C-alpha cells in the first residue's frame, strides 16, 4: 500500500486549492495548484494523509462543504507562499497566477450554476411524469424511481444518469430518451459520458444537445440569458438592490457575466450589459480595485485586469463581433467608473426570483 511518507508530491509547493464536481462519483473533489518553477503551475487532484500513514483522496459530499474547506485552507497557503524566501517580483507573479487560476474555476462553476437555475426555471410549468407512467426498457426497471425523481426537477432531460449506492461510491448508468418518450436500457458510464449527462442538465433545458460543442453551446446560452437579465430590472427586489448600490456611489455591479450598468448620459438609468473575458493568453487576473473607462456605448464590458508581469490594464467598453462600431461618447462625457464584484450566488438567486435580503 502506498504510504504518505513515500509520496513525492507531499513535498511540492501548493499555491491554492479549489473543488471540482466529478459526475461519475457524484462528489466534489479538491484540486490543488502546484508550483512548477519555470513552468506554469498545474492543477491536480489533491491527496491528504490518513491514518497509519495512508493516502486518501480529498473529497466532499456537497459543494458547500468543499468550498468551506477551500476557503479555510487557501489563506494558510497564501501565508506560506508569502513566507518563502523568494524575490518580491517572483512572489507577486505566483500570487497573480494563483488568483487567476482560482478565479477561472470559480467563474466557470458560478456561470454553470446560473445556467442550470435558469434552465430549471424555464421548465417550471412543464408536466411532471409520475413514476408509473414512465416508458422504460425492461432492463431499466430498477431505475424507475430514481429517474422519476430527477424528472420532477428537470422534466426536459433527454439523458439521465441513474445508479445505486455500492459501498462508498455510487455506481452509475446512463438512460437515453428517444423521440417517442421511451427510455433506453442502461449503459455503463465512464468519465466522459458522466460529464455529458451532467451538461445535459443545462443544455437540454435550452433545447441544445450535449453532443454539440460545449463552449459554443454556453456562448449561445449566455446570449439567451441577457433578455432574462433585463427582466430583472422590473423586479422590486432588484430595484432595491440597485437603489442601495446607487446610494453607496456604485454605478457598475458585476456578477456571473452580467453587468448592471448605470448610464447617466441621456438619463437612461440602470441597464444590463455583458462582460467579455480577456483571453487566456493574456494571463489576466481581475484587478478588483480597478476602474472602467467608458469612451463609448458598447454593449460589452472588459473588466480591469492585471497581467502576470504586473501590468495593470484599465477596463473599457466595446461592441462584440458583428455589432458594428460602438457609438462614441463625447470626450466631455468620458467616465471612469469603479465597479463592484458580487458573488455568483447573487445572480443565481435573482434568476430564481428569490427575494433580495
Amino acid at each position: 500500500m502506498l504510504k504518505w511518507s513515500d509520496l513525492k508530491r507531499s513535498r511540492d509547493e501548493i499555491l491554492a486549492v479549489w473543488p471540482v464536481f466529478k459526475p461519475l462519483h457524484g462528489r466534489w473533489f479538491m484540486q490543488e495548484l502546484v508550483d512548477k518553477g519555470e513552468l506554469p503551475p498545474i492543477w491536480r487532484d489533491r491527496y491528504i494523509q490518513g491514518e497509519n500513514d495512508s493516502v486518501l483522496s480529498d473529497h466532499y459530499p456537497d459543494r458547500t462543504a468543499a468550498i468551506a474547506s477551500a476557503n479555510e485552507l487557501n489563506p494558510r497557503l497564501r501565508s506560506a507562499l508569502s513566507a518563502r524566501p523568494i524575490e518580491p517580483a517572483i512572489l507577486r507573479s505566483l500570487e497573480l497566477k494563483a488568483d487567476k487560476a482560482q478565479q477561472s474555476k470559480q467563474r466557470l462553476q458560478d456561470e454553470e450554476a446560473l445556467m442550470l437555475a435558469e434552465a430549471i426555471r424555464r421548465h417550471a410549468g412543464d408536466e411532471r411524469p409520475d413514476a408509473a407512467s414512465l416508458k422504460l426498457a425492461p432492463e431499466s426497471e430498477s431505475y424507475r424511481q430514481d429517474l422519476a425523481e430527477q424528472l420532477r426537477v428537470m422534466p426536459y432531460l433527454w439523458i439521465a444518469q441513474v445508479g445505486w449506492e455500492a459501498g462508498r461510491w455510487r455506481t452509475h448508468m446512463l438512460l437515453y430518451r428517444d423521440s417517442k418518450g421511451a427510455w433506453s436500457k442502461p449503459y455503463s458510464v465512464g468519465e466522459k459520458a458522466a460529464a455529458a449527462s451532467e451538461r445535459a442538465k443545462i443544455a437540454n433545458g435550452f433545447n441544445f444537445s450535449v453532443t454539440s460543442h460545449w463552449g459554443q453551446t454556453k456562448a449561445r446560452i449566455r446570449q439567451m440569458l441577457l433578455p432574462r437579465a433585463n427582466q430583472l430590472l422590473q423586479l422590486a427586489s432588484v430595484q432595491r438592490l440597485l437603489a442601495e448600490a446607487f446610494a453607496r456611489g456604485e454605478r457598475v455591479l458585476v456578477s456571473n457575466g452580467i453587468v448592471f450598468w448605470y448610464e447617466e448620459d441621456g438619463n437612461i438609468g440602470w441597464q444590463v450589459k455583458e462582460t467579455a473575458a480577456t483571453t487566456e493568453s493574456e494571463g489576466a487576473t481581475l484587478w478588483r480595485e480597478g476602474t472602467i473607462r467608458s469612451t463609448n456605448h458598447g454593449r460589452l464590458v472588459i473588466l480591469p485586469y492585471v497581467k502576470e508581469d504586473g501590468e495593470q490594464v484599465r477596463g473599457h467598453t466595446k461592441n462584440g463581433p458583428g455589432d458594428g462600431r460602438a457609438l462614441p461618447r463625447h470626450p466631455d462625457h468620458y467616465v471612469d467608473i469603479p465597479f463592484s464584484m458580487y458573488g455568483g450566488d447573487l445572480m443565481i438567486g435573482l434568476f430564481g426570483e428569490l427575494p433580495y435580503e
Side-chain angles (χ1 to χ4, degrees):
M1 183 181 70
L2 182 64
K3 295 183 178 180
W4 177 261
S5 56
D6 295 332
L7 200 64
K8 292 182 179 180
R9 65 159 54 198
S10 65
R11 294 179 284 278
D12 289 341
E13 297 284 353
I14 308 303
L15 302 176
V17 297
W18 195 256
V20 297
F21 182 68
K22 293 192 176 183
L24 184 62
H25 305 296
R27 299 179 72 85
W28 289 82
F29 287 74
M30 195 69 75
Q31 292 190 335
E32 56 189 16
L33 187 67
V34 186
D35 181 9
K36 303 297 288 186
E38 297 296 323
L39 299 175
I42 62 169
W43 287 104
R44 71 183 182 194
D45 288 341
R46 176 175 173 80
Y47 296 134
I48 56 178
Q49 186 175 10
E51 295 181 359
N52 301 320
D53 205 30
S54 60
V55 178
L56 302 177
S57 177
D58 190 9
H59 59 85
Y60 303 82
D62 55 63
R63 186 171 187 257
T64 300
I67 290 181
S69 179
N71 288 339
E72 189 275 331
L73 181 56
N74 276 322
R76 290 193 279 127
L77 292 173
R78 179 56 64 94
S79 295
L81 173 60
S82 300
R84 287 169 58 181
I86 54 179
E87 297 180 9
I90 295 176
L91 172 62
R92 182 56 179 154
S93 176
L94 288 174
E95 289 175 340
L96 287 170
K97 288 176 180 178
D99 288 343
K100 172 189 169 184
Q102 283 180 264
Q103 285 176 10
S104 177
K105 281 188 175 290
Q106 185 169 3
R107 279 191 226 156
L108 175 65
Q109 290 175 8
D110 287 345
E111 177 185 70
E112 293 187 355
L114 173 63
M115 290 179 175
L116 176 60
E118 175 61 5
I120 292 173
R121 188 201 67 83
R122 285 176 173 236
H123 295 269
D126 290 5
E127 183 180 354
R128 266 61 175 172
D130 59 60
S133 68
L134 293 174
K135 302 175 186 177
L136 295 177
E139 302 93 327
S140 300
E141 188 58 44
S142 61
Y143 305 114
R144 181 177 293 274
Q145 193 60 39
D146 189 344
L147 178 60
E149 289 176 3
Q150 292 189 53
L151 295 178
R152 270 197 284 273
V153 179
M154 293 168 281
Y156 53 81
L157 286 178
W158 287 83
I159 303 174
Q161 188 175 181
V162 294
W164 65 89
E165 296 297 332
R168 187 171 183 180
W169 302 114
R170 193 180 187 209
T171 303
H172 294 279
M173 307 294 284
L174 279 188
L175 303 181
Y176 296 86
R177 184 168 59 162
D178 65 22
S179 58
K180 296 180 180 179
W183 290 88
S184 70
K185 68 178 183 180
Y187 292 88
S188 59
V189 179
E191 290 281 357
K192 187 174 181 180
S197 69
E198 190 67 19
R199 290 173 177 176
K201 296 176 181 179
I202 295 172
N204 291 171
F206 293 91
N207 295 319
F208 293 125
S209 169
V210 292
T211 60
S212 301
H213 186 279
W214 184 232
Q216 294 175 2
T217 295
K218 291 209 297 182
R220 294 172 68 183
I221 293 174
R222 288 188 202 103
Q223 294 176 350
M224 296 170 70
L225 291 181
L226 285 180
R228 172 73 179 132
N230 272 302
Q231 293 175 18
L232 296 178
L233 295 176
Q234 308 305 316
L235 292 179
S237 58
V238 178
Q239 291 175 4
R240 175 184 168 191
L241 167 72
L242 298 177
E244 291 178 359
F246 189 87
R248 294 192 298 268
E250 297 174 355
R251 300 296 183 268
V252 179
L253 279 62
V254 181
S255 179
N256 273 105
I258 303 296
V259 180
F260 292 102
W261 176 284
Y262 189 84
E263 184 62 61
E264 299 197 64
D265 190 15
N267 295 317
I268 295 174
W270 287 103
Q271 58 180 308
V272 171
K273 291 182 181 285
E274 181 182 356
T275 58
T278 53
T279 62
E280 187 71 17
S281 61
E282 289 175 317
T285 301
L286 278 186
W287 174 23
R288 294 179 183 273
E289 294 78 28
T291 58
I292 301 166
R293 166 159 286 185
S294 180
T295 63
N296 56 52
H297 295 276
R299 71 173 179 85
L300 299 180
V301 179
I302 308 299
L303 297 177
Y305 63 94
V306 180
K307 294 185 177 180
E308 287 178 0
D309 62 5
E311 180 186 353
Q312 296 175 332
V313 180
R314 187 192 298 271
H316 56 279
T317 53
K318 69 174 188 177
N319 270 354
D323 290 342
R325 185 168 178 265
L327 182 67
R329 298 179 188 271
H330 188 279
D332 291 344
H333 295 166
Y334 287 178
V335 287
D336 291 332
I337 309 174
F339 71 99
S340 295
M341 184 71 67
Y342 283 71
D345 56 343
L346 169 70
M347 287 304 296
I348 294 168
L350 293 179
F351 266 62
E353 297 187 0
L354 299 178
Y356 167 61
E357 296 296 339

